[in-house]
Amino acid sequence: MWAGQLTQTIKELVRSRRESGWIEYKVNVLDPDKTGEYISALANSAAIDGVEHGYVVWGIADGDRAVVGTSADPWTDKIGNEDLIPWLRRLITPATADFEFHEIEIEGKRIVVLVIEPAASSPVQFRGNEFVRDGSYVKDLRRHPAKAKRLWASFDRTAFEDRACGDPVRSDDVFRLLNV
């Protein structure tokens, strides 16, 4: 998603939507564990709701959705000696789960947006746990069997040809796996 399109999407969301199953607003706090849980919860909830992406937006006040800007910086944050983004990628499964951080400007203020792809073929997990949104709250998916059922049913809505066939494979293994 290019910056102009993302900026327009976020402006529209801020104008029209409170936090939901697939949108979370933050100001400055970028907690690594919470961010991992958000990736799982918003990916799974986006799949349930049939939307294109989930979003965590830093720089927007939660209550009135005022554009306040942010100092959150996922590109320089570290957990121990490990950069935040590779740390998150290591702890998010399946490996096909995808997310990306972007920096945009709205009303002259710096905004950081985490764009999260919906779960595609199995629930997205963080540290081996599956999460989902219940309103604006992150909850353990195991405690919400109706949502789990809807999530699994959402995978059937995706055409077979559009699904990931497995974890990333090295190019030299493709023919071996195809039994050619």
Side-chain angles (χ1 to χ4, degrees), residues 21 54 126 133 160 172:
F126 174 65
R133 293 276 282 207
F160 178 79
D172 54 337

Side-chain angles (χ1 to χ4, degrees), residues 2-20:
W2 56 282
Q5 181 184 4
L6 180 59
T7 300
Q8 190 59 37
T9 298
I10 298 304
K11 284 180 178 179
E12 290 171 14
L13 290 173
V14 168
R15 266 196 308 272
S16 63
R17 295 204 58 103
R18 297 200 173 282
E19 288 186 345
S20 69

Side-chain angles (χ1 to χ4, degrees), residues 27-125:
V27 176
N28 285 319
V29 177
L30 200 162
D31 177 276
D33 285 307
K34 289 285 186 203
T35 302
E37 291 177 9
Y38 286 133
I39 292 170
S40 170
L42 276 73
N44 294 332
S45 294
I48 290 169
D49 292 345
V51 297
E52 241 180 89
H53 299 98
Y55 302 94
V56 181
V57 185
W58 284 270
I60 306 295
D62 185 8
D64 61 1
R65 298 187 315 274
V67 178
V68 296
T70 187
S71 62
D73 192 347
W75 299 278
T76 60
D77 284 357
K78 292 188 177 289
I79 293 74
N81 289 330
E82 190 173 6
D83 291 338
L84 173 68
I85 296 170
W87 180 85
L88 288 167
R89 291 204 186 282
R90 183 171 54 82
L91 296 173
I92 296 288
T93 54
T96 54
D98 198 19
F99 61 89
E100 190 170 355
F101 287 92
H102 298 269
E103 183 175 321
I104 61 174
E105 188 174 294
I106 297 177
E107 298 175 11
K109 298 190 174 114
R110 180 178 175 270
I111 306 296
V112 173
V113 182
L114 172 56
V115 179
I116 304 162
E117 295 292 323
S121 58
S122 66
V124 172
Q125 301 176 355

